[in-house]
Amino acid sequence: MEISVNLEKLAKQFKKEKLYIVGGWVRDSLLGLEPKDIDITSATSISTVMTICEKLKYKCTIINKKLGTLAISKDGEVYEYTQFRKESYNLSGTHSPDEIEFVKDIESDSLRRDITINAMYYDILTGEIVDPRHGQKDLENKIIRTCNSPNITLKDDGLRILRIIRFASLLNFKISKQTYHYMKVFASHLTLISKERILKEIDALVSSDLVYNNKNQIFLNSLKNLKLVPFIFNSTLTRMKSFDKTDIENFYNLNILSRKIGFYFLIIKNYLKKYTSESQLFYAVNMLLGRDGIKESTSTINLCEKLFTIYQNLNYNHDITNATINYLTLSDSEREIVYTNLNKKSKTILSDNISLVKSHNLPLSVHELDISSQDLIDNKIDRKYISKILSTLYNQVIEMKVKNQKDDLIKLAIDIDKNLKELIKEHL
């Protein structure tokens, strides 16, 4: 295991207590994977560490004084320091430590960590691995276990349920029977976790099997078998049906760029069991992904609604031509999500309609009409009607009631303008 000169120099300043690397860096190094973030720890107080950093001219800032965490950096290298501690949780379900006690021993510090393979300590100066929770053995056996009794670890912080699934998927490891049992027992504790923390886990979970190319279906199968979806998205989702085999296979055929939206798409699909009106779809998507659900970004919510609208219209044979055109305006990764979820018959219909759209050179947007706003102005059409008239012209072209040719479009635009003015006069 290679240690940088800067980190070794820092470790040499820890006179009474040793400085260790802990967590993912140790785990990944032992697995022969490329380590990423470096978390360091010791029994030394953060005030003493800050003094050491000042002496060495390392940049050091407090992340959380209560938890004893610092950010240390030098020459572009960044380390997160944490002082050894014990944690006590109350029964309110806030899932953040109620009491913190700084300790001197690794044994106590290791018990507050999530899983054994993340609780191995590497002595920076001697190269010794201190392994109080037998993480190396679990690495060899490819098993995920909690550091403390899962009855304690998972009750204290329900987010650890998703973290365990993520590491199992990331490394293609099995979850111990006892740990898995208590993941199910405390599944409802996910409703007590902030949506920001859950969103961060989802970002990592959806493509966790692709990080080291450990192809597996642990993520979705765990959500299905542990019945976690209602607790992640909205605890009132009693009508949510389980993912079936095809759903799971379709999801895992998506590339990394499509995974997150593809996951949300699957959630919406399994909630809505039949064709849904535009207003009902808007309500459902916002209930799942919006303020009452997972609190995703507005752009993500809008994209999911758009993709599902296209999917519905194609899959239920509704407004096919318009749906096909909207499908063609999507990016490759967005098309992949829609197409993967279509049934066989709908895929054939889509293919036929793509050929139809291309053969008739139908525009994919208003901007592809063979007419512009200036053309309408030049033909003395009232400026305040231009946007509405262009939209109407586009729909007429899509429905193939008029050709996408300037002369034909201008003639129709003049007629529409005339009808609009007469209609307004009648209501004055």
Side-chain angles (χ1 to χ4, degrees):
M1 299 183 187
E2 293 185 8
I3 302 297
S4 73
V5 173
N6 289 329
L7 188 54
E8 186 175 359
K9 187 177 179 181
L10 179 64
K12 286 178 179 178
Q13 297 299 312
F14 283 70
K15 305 298 184 182
K16 294 182 179 180
E17 295 94 6
K18 293 183 176 182
L19 182 65
Y20 299 90
I21 303 177
V22 66
W25 188 93
V26 184
R27 179 197 69 232
D28 291 346
S29 296
L30 289 172
L31 288 171
L33 303 171
E34 185 177 350
K36 296 179 182 177
D37 299 333
I38 299 179
D39 295 323
I40 54 179
T41 186
S42 82
T44 306
S45 69
I46 61 171
S47 59
T48 301
V49 175
M50 292 180 77
T51 300
I52 291 172
C53 288
E54 184 178 359
K55 176 183 175 183
L56 294 175
K57 295 184 179 179
Y58 286 23
K59 184 178 179 181
C60 183
T61 55
I62 296 175
I63 297 175
N64 190 314
K65 188 174 183 179
K66 178 185 175 182
L67 297 179
T69 56
L70 302 169
I72 302 171
S73 60
K74 177 69 173 178
D75 299 332
E77 297 176 22
V78 180
Y79 327 114
E80 184 172 309
Y81 175 82
T82 305
Q83 186 177 350
F84 289 170
R85 68 177 189 258
K86 284 182 179 180
E87 296 176 345
S88 298
Y89 291 77
N90 58 35
L91 301 176
S92 67
T94 57
H95 295 278
S96 58
D98 187 48
E99 293 182 7
I100 298 294
E101 178 188 350
F102 295 114
V103 296
K104 293 292 184 180
D105 62 302
I106 280 182
E107 180 77 21
S108 297
D109 184 73
S110 68
L111 282 171
R112 61 102 180 166
R113 297 182 180 274
D114 54 5
I115 54 179
T116 61
I117 61 172
N118 289 341
M120 296 177 287
Y121 300 73
Y122 180 80
D123 187 322
I124 294 171
L125 296 182
T126 68
E128 176 192 6
I129 294 177
V130 181
D131 188 10
R133 308 264 64 86
H134 309 294
Q136 289 184 88
K137 183 178 179 180
D138 287 339
L139 275 185
E140 293 171 7
N141 294 329
K142 297 185 176 183
I143 192 116
I144 305 288
R145 288 188 304 112
T146 56
C147 288
N148 208 332
S149 165
N151 183 42
I152 296 172
T153 300
L154 300 177
K155 179 177 67 176
D156 287 347
D157 187 350
L159 189 70
R160 288 168 175 165
I161 294 170
L162 296 185
R163 282 177 56 81
I164 287 169
I165 293 170
R166 171 158 61 88
F167 283 111
S169 176
L170 183 77
L171 302 172
N172 199 15
F173 280 15
K174 290 183 179 180
I175 301 169
S176 77
K177 289 183 179 180
Q178 188 185 28
T179 299
Y180 197 83
H181 168 74
Y182 281 101
M183 287 167 70
K184 195 166 190 176
V185 170
F186 293 111
S188 63
H189 281 216
L190 283 167
T191 61
L192 306 171
I193 305 300
S194 73
K195 296 305 181 184
E196 290 78 13
R197 292 180 72 198
I198 287 181
L199 275 176
K200 187 176 180 181
E201 278 301 317
I202 287 177
D203 284 339
L205 269 165
V206 292
S207 56
S208 50
D209 62 300
L210 299 176
V211 175
Y212 300 123
N213 199 29
N214 281 322
K215 294 184 178 180
N216 61 75
Q217 298 180 349
I218 292 171
F219 167 45
L220 285 191
N221 279 329
S222 295
L223 260 58
K224 175 183 178 180
N225 296 334
L226 294 170
K227 300 179 180 178
L228 298 181
V229 170
F231 303 121
I232 294 172
F233 288 88
N234 188 310
S235 59
T236 64
L237 297 181
T238 53
R239 60 187 279 190
M240 173 72 73
K241 71 175 184 177
S242 298
F243 308 129
D244 60 29
K245 184 179 179 180
T246 302
D247 285 335
I248 294 173
E249 288 177 354
N250 286 342
F251 173 81
Y252 283 104
N253 283 329
L254 295 174
N255 65 45
I256 194 167
L257 295 174
S258 307
R259 281 287 184 90
K260 184 175 181 180
I261 302 299
F263 172 57
Y264 290 151
F265 188 99
L266 194 57
I267 297 298
I268 298 166
K269 179 183 172 185
N270 280 276
Y271 179 71
L272 300 173
K273 301 175 183 178
K274 57 184 179 181
Y275 184 85
T276 306
S277 69
E278 187 176 331
S279 59
Q280 289 174 318
L281 175 59
F282 174 81
Y283 170 79
V285 172
N286 278 273
M287 182 193 70
L288 292 165
L289 306 182
R291 291 182 62 185
D292 293 330
I294 205 166
K295 296 184 180 178
E296 255 293 357
S297 67
T298 300
S299 59
T300 296
I301 293 171
N302 290 341
L303 177 58
C304 289
E305 187 180 355
K306 177 182 178 180
L307 296 187
F308 204 81
T309 298
I310 295 170
Y311 158 79
Q312 275 204 144
N313 288 345
L314 291 172
N315 216 45
Y316 294 100
N317 200 20
H318 181 79
D319 198 7
I320 291 293
T321 303
N322 200 32
T324 302
I325 288 172
N326 286 327
Y327 173 85
L328 290 172
T329 65
L330 301 174
S331 67
D332 289 344
S333 60
E334 291 165 353
R335 287 185 197 176
E336 182 184 24
I337 294 167
V338 174
Y339 189 80
T340 298
N341 283 280
L342 293 173
N343 59 43
K344 187 175 181 180
K345 181 180 178 181
S346 296
K347 288 178 179 177
T348 301
I349 292 173
L350 174 61
S351 178
D352 292 342
N353 272 270
I354 289 175
S355 299
L356 178 68
V357 167
K358 290 181 177 179
S359 66
H360 285 79
N361 197 28
L362 296 180
L364 300 184
S365 70
V366 170
H367 302 295
E368 291 188 10
L369 287 174
D370 191 25
I371 193 172
S372 66
S373 298
Q374 189 59 51
D375 291 327
L376 297 181
I377 292 170
D378 292 344
N379 280 274
K380 298 183 172 42
I381 290 177
D382 197 320
R383 288 175 181 268
K384 64 185 177 183
Y385 300 139
I386 286 177
S387 178
K388 185 176 183 63
I389 289 174
L390 283 173
S391 179
T392 303
L393 292 176
Y394 178 73
N395 289 331
Q396 292 291 301
V397 171
I398 296 306
E399 293 172 10
M400 291 185 279
K401 293 179 180 178
V402 63
K403 292 182 179 180
N404 188 21
Q405 296 177 357
K406 182 176 287 188
D407 290 345
D408 292 344
L409 293 173
I410 287 176
K411 182 180 178 181
L412 179 57
I414 291 171
D415 288 342
I416 295 171
D417 181 59
K418 181 180 177 182
N419 291 335
L420 278 172
K421 288 174 180 176
E422 288 177 354
L423 188 62
I424 290 172
K425 282 182 181 179
E426 290 177 7
H427 287 83
L428 289 178

